[in-house]
Amino acid sequence: MAWSIAKVIEKKGDESIELDFHQLQRQNNPTTDDNVRQIIDKDGLDLDKVTSINLTQCELITDEALNDIAHKCSRLELLSITWCSNVTDEGIRSILMSNPNLKVLDFMYCKKVTVDIINAIITHTPNMTRIEAINVGLSVIPDDIDFGKLHKLKWFGLLDNGIKKLPKSMATLPHDCDIDINSNQLESPPIEMAGEYGNMPPPIIGRFYAEEMVNRPDFNLSVLDTHIKESGGAIGTHEYHSNCAIIMTAIRAQTGFSVELKEECEKRLDDDRERLADVRKDKNLIENLTYDGTPTILYLHAVCKSYYATLDIIQFCIDKFGTDIVWKKDDRGLKPYDVLARNPCATEECKEFLRQFVTNFSNVHQAGGVSDDPRNTKDRLGYDIYAKAIVKVVDKVEFGNRTNFSVGLFAPWGVGKSKLWHLIKQEIKNKEKTKMEEWKGGDGQTDHEDNTKDAARTSVVFESFSTWCEINHSLICSHKRRKSQTTSEELPLMNASDDDGDIEIGYANELSQSESDDWSDDEAVVNETLAAAMVATCPIWISPLIIQSCIRLCLRPCLKSDRDQKHARNVSKILAGDYVPYHIRSVHLHFGPIACAKTAIIMFARMFPFANCGEFFKRGQKCFAVPTIKEAPVNYHIFIEFNAWVYDGSDVLWASLMESLWTAVEAELGETTVRL
């Protein structure tokens, strides 16, 4: 193989350097100790920046190369020597001693490494976060190893080592650490206690040895002290409190112990009195529990979250607070069973007891105990833009469309479907609120316009009055129009020559200028004549008008009036408005007795309160009007949560779905409304 230093040295974005010998050749890598020495002795290479060395599958490497690395590099954070079958404890120990900040150590398939290297890791690199020791022959792990010092360890790979027993001291590891024990003939704890993927959490190890301890026939306080020393961890740490709680749970569950012995054991463990005493079978104490750091009425949630949750206490809570307590949900949508399923110290007996309350059907089982509710409150995935786009498309489909349609979200588990659904639901609610506010604002304007139209809309009395105005106009006024244009008393204007020979035109007074601007002089004369005629013929048409108005009131929903009502409005303007008669407001014109009599009739009629009578009839007519209900142009949505995983393997899935739909709609709209 042609050797190239450039292929080994790789600079990262943070200016750190990685020496990757594995990338030279993936299999049968010919890298030797001399090659490693050649790299680390290269001029210009800043070894203080070397943080990662990958010697995976470099089978020719020995302890000599690791010793050279240890002498030159002191800032390593990652070392991988997988398949380096010639490496022993000596070479790895030299690396550990010179690199206290080492966080990841991978020595899989290094057959010459012994269990002593675990003590070296604990002694020299306590900040280790990941150890890969797969198939290295660690078949026996001593009990005296102080695993509690690895307070930052997150992963411990022990796959395929022939291990039959995990020491009780491993219970002192961080309780969020995953211990991979796949492909081992594990007996203590039994392999059945491992998780779905073959991981054995430290709390499970602690629970197994705690139960083993309390079942000893020679159990006493001395045995308890020894057990705490071996598997309790450092006093004051979170792991110590948790392990003490696990031990106390096992003691309380032991029916063969006397009350006095249990109290003595509790006093011995009681370095945190509040936490040890918070789940006793005492209603007052349970009512004073806190859940997620605050006082709460979710008593069973707080009990199920405690390390001391036992079947007796759970049954006590249900007896004292009612069975409804098992159905309540916290802010994250978790029921007591969900909280208990996440409790590493919860026994299968407790889980089995609460599982029966998850559903009323005996052949339905909970799948996994994992909630579909989004755990984070912030949109850390940037899904808000997708939610808005989906709602925008759906809104266009829904608008004016009454057909059924479905929208599905398809994605692997854990990528954020529940979060996206939560954002879609929130966006729909916001859009509903915005549209409703816009509609209400627009509806206010519409109501104002409708009120204006209502004010302008005529009553049945006015419609009948309009009919008689048209009759009088056709019989009296129309045949006089041509004649009126030739009479001097009805001439709109008188012409006179001034000294310059121009034509001087008469003008109207500024009184009621706005009204006269709407009509020409001819129209003013005709309209005043019609008004006077309506007053003079009032005894003739008043009785038929009343009968006609009553008929119109009864048949108005079936009648559509296309009448212009122009003449009626003109007459109303003259008789009921602030109109000034043409005879009074004109200047330079002379009128005969007929015009004077017409003006007198108009002025006399204006003494009668026509406007008030019209308003009276209009208000009275509203008493017979049928109110109209306006439909808001906003689609209202009902959100129904249904978890089909709860009914996995059941024959009541579809029946449960229909029941959930029906119950949710009834709860939203009311039982009476839905059933009627």
Side-chain angles (χ1 to χ4, degrees), residues 22 52-58 66 77-85 87 92 95-96 102-110 113 117 121 125 128-136 153 155-158:
H22 179 54
S52 175
I53 297 179
N54 186 359
L55 291 166
T56 299
Q57 294 183 333
C58 296
L66 297 185
E77 295 180 1
L78 183 149
L79 174 64
S80 177
I81 51 175
T82 300
W83 291 104
C84 294
S85 55
V87 171
I92 298 178
I95 294 288
L96 297 175
L102 191 67
K103 297 179 181 179
V104 179
L105 177 61
D106 184 349
F107 54 98
M108 295 187 294
Y109 304 101
C110 295
V113 177
I117 203 63
I121 293 173
T125 55
M128 189 76 68
T129 60
R130 187 180 183 92
I131 300 174
E132 289 286 2
I134 298 175
N135 196 4
V136 295
L153 192 64
W155 178 265
F156 198 176
L158 293 173

Side-chain angles (χ1 to χ4, degrees), residues 141-172:
I141 303 177
D143 289 331
D144 59 354
I145 297 179
D146 189 3
F147 285 99
K149 292 183 178 180
L150 296 175
H151 58 282
K152 293 185 179 181
L153 192 64
K154 301 298 181 182
W155 178 265
F156 198 176
L158 293 173
L159 184 145
D160 197 17
N161 273 290
I163 300 173
K164 292 185 177 181
K165 178 184 176 181
L166 295 177
K168 62 180 68 176
S169 58
M170 293 190 77
T172 63

Side-chain angles (χ1 to χ4, degrees), residues 313-512:
I313 297 176
I314 292 175
Q315 289 176 331
F316 175 81
C317 288
I318 296 175
D319 293 340
K320 293 297 181 181
F321 301 105
T323 55
D324 290 343
I325 197 171
V326 303
W327 302 102
K328 291 184 178 180
K329 295 182 180 180
D330 62 10
D331 294 339
R332 294 171 295 175
L334 301 180
K335 293 180 180 179
Y337 174 81
D338 301 320
V339 177
L340 188 69
R342 289 162 171 75
N343 188 345
C345 299
T347 63
E348 289 299 325
E349 185 181 25
C350 294
K351 294 179 182 179
E352 187 64 30
F353 176 76
L354 276 185
R355 189 178 289 119
Q356 64 180 318
F357 294 100
V358 174
T359 177
N360 292 327
F361 306 103
S362 58
N363 62 338
V364 178
H365 64 274
Q366 180 80 0
V370 179
S371 172
D372 279 337
D373 292 335
R375 301 297 301 272
N376 57 319
T377 56
K378 295 182 179 180
D379 180 21
R380 303 182 187 277
L381 300 175
Y383 281 177
D384 182 60
I385 185 173
Y386 298 108
K388 290 182 178 179
I390 292 173
V391 173
K392 185 177 181 181
V393 173
V394 171
D395 186 61
K396 290 182 178 179
V397 176
E398 284 185 334
F399 184 74
N401 188 358
R402 297 189 179 275
T403 59
N404 298 324
F405 66 96
S406 301
V407 178
L409 298 177
F410 298 93
W413 187 89
V415 300
K417 296 188 299 296
S418 298
K419 183 61 182 178
L420 179 56
W421 163 243
H422 174 75
L423 294 173
I424 291 173
K425 182 167 64 174
Q426 192 62 40
E427 180 66 18
I428 290 175
K429 290 181 178 179
N430 293 339
K431 187 174 285 292
E432 284 181 3
K433 183 179 179 181
T434 302
K435 284 188 175 182
M436 184 60 70
E437 290 176 353
E438 291 176 354
W439 178 76
K440 286 181 177 179
D443 188 50
Q445 297 176 0
T446 304
D447 289 343
H448 177 72
E449 294 172 358
D450 291 344
N451 292 334
T452 304
K453 292 179 180 179
D454 287 340
R457 188 180 296 127
T458 59
S459 65
V460 293
V461 176
F462 190 82
E463 291 176 359
S464 302
F465 178 74
S466 176
T467 302
W468 287 99
C469 286
E470 292 181 6
I471 294 173
N472 279 337
H473 180 268
S474 60
L475 296 178
I476 300 174
C477 297
S478 61
H479 72 279
K480 290 186 176 181
R481 179 174 299 176
R482 183 177 300 276
K483 180 180 179 181
S484 65
Q485 294 176 355
T486 61
T487 60
S488 60
E489 68 174 8
E490 293 183 356
L491 284 174
L493 300 173
M494 295 293 294
N495 299 337
S497 299
D498 58 6
D499 296 337
D500 297 329
D502 293 333
I503 302 297
E504 182 180 0
I505 301 178
Y507 61 91
N509 196 305
E510 291 182 358
L511 292 174
S512 193

Side-chain angles (χ1 to χ4, degrees), residues 199-215:
N199 296 342
M200 183 73 73
I204 299 298
I205 301 174
R207 193 183 81 189
F208 170 78
Y209 285 108
E211 293 174 352
E212 184 182 75
M213 173 196 62
V214 299
N215 288 322

